[in-house]
Amino acid sequence: MIREHQLNKIILSIFLIIPLWAFVTDEPFTITLMTRATVFALAAVGLNIALGLGGLVSLGHAVFFGIGGYSMGILACHAQTYTPLMEWPMLVSGSKSMPLIWINAVIMSALAALLIGILSLRTSGVYFIMITLAFGQMFFFFSISWSAYGGEDGLSIYIRNEFPGLNTLVPIQYYALCLALLCTVLWINSRLINSPFGLALNAARQVPERVETVGLNPMRLKLAAFIISGAVTGLAGALFADLNRFVSPTMFSWQTSGEIMVFVIIGGVGRLFGPVVGALMFVALEHWLGGLSDFWHIYLGILLLGIVLFGRGGLIGMICGEARQHE
Amino acid sequence: MNDIVLATKGLTKRFGALTASENITLDLRAGEIHAIIGPNGAGKSTLIAQVCGSLKPDSGTVHFLGRDVTQKTTRSRVQAGLARSFQISALSMEDSVLQNALLGALGASRNPWRFFKPALEDPTLVEQAEHALERVGLSGHATQRTSELSHGQRRQLEVAIALTLYPKAFIMDEPMAGLGSEGSVQMTDFLDTLRKEAPILLVEHDMDAVFALADRISVLVYGKVIATGTVEEIRTNPHVRDAYLGEEA
């Protein structure tokens, strides 16, 4: 059996080698697929902070993915039509700048996570799942009826947003940007796991009463995890919208929440690279099996069933065995 | 009377028709070990839960360090200096022994909002945690997974976590359970020295330990304190013999 950190390096090299090979052989579609996997991975890394570390089974992460997407959509749509976003109390115009859009996406989804978290964390177990799902549906139907931004049809952005010094329309350059963000977030996540906060959160998931009896508030720890989690998924949403140059209410749908959770479960809940493996696997299956049959989700379902029944640690757990806290 | 650290007055708790605590009045004084004994189902755990704040009494009060804490949460009682060890271990089983002790040290620092630097690289936390493990005799197990510990060792770790808090009073729920005779003797010796740091409210089934350690004993039967007194008084009390010690003493 190989050690987890070795496997992580192998996974990371896949994310370097395939796009490079695709770049050399001039296969831009493969690069786009890899970008899709990277962005999905980022969304799932976000969920994994809540799910894996905090034990919060959120079936509403599409909210943050969608908010990220609409952050991009709304800002870029105002920029491309030269209409101000708002005139009162101060003039705010749209923007085509990616860093600005990302910051906006992160702040907005963090705020949403704060509100949803405060209300949902009063419950646990199946009620928590249901209440997060309900929030997801609220945002979904709201986006459908919000005709100013395309309603059901969504919003198309003609030109991908700009990042200083890069031509984001070149697939490999946009891919590099997404990968850099994913790696940064993974690095932050790895620090987070071992930090005092991570230690306390980990205990809050397993034995909340213990955390209480050392004088800490398990609820607040979980809320903080939920906010960080939502912010990361929101960032992924902005990247996803920019990849497609399109946002629609689908990003808010419960299927999106479900897919993000599937990435985490396939790869391994609570494993640093679990969501990354899961997203890569999903995109690969979607591409290959999707080419064979429109009903490829059946095979995905079988895979998921197998993993849940026989490999509790997901693909990473099957390869590396049980998680070790001490490396 | 200002050496009273912890006091309950008229504590009553009912669960439907069952009265789990009936008018319980007792106190814990500086420097002493006050043991609570009683048959299974006497309401010892219910009493502990009310003292620690995880259960609110129907009536009566809990005073800690002269302040009424009856309506305070577990958390604020802990922050005021009340440390508890659990009867059924409440430990992060997936984590190492040291990490569990670190959680205590982290709680004592009151600042879990550090997101970046690894907890295991924080010298203050680690030192505090290792010191506590050393005192209960778990130094050699620091890197072991907590789920691999024996029942007795889990008890020791429970006590170690309480130690990291440097509390003003300990509430210990059966710290000897599962320790075996040798471990029991060691723990008895340790608690004997610990009472100088902070008084201990001790719930324990091991009568040898209780008689060796306790300054005072309260006997709880069907939710009522039927007697409180020194070891000698309790041993010779006819009601206690009837209700509890009967065959044993």
Side-chain angles (χ1 to χ4, degrees), chain A residues 33-48:
Chain A
L33 276 184
M34 286 303 289
T35 314
R36 193 175 161 81
T38 307
V39 173
F40 279 161
L42 186 61
V45 167
L47 177 63
N48 200 27

Side-chain angles (χ1 to χ4, degrees), chain A residues 1 13 19 53 64 66 131 138 143 152 177 183 200 211 289 316:
Chain A
M1 272 194 181
S13 55
L53 265 180
F64 313 121
I131 200 166
M138 260 170 59
S143 66
E152 219 169 338
L177 201 55
C183 291
V211 177
L289 295 177
I316 301 244

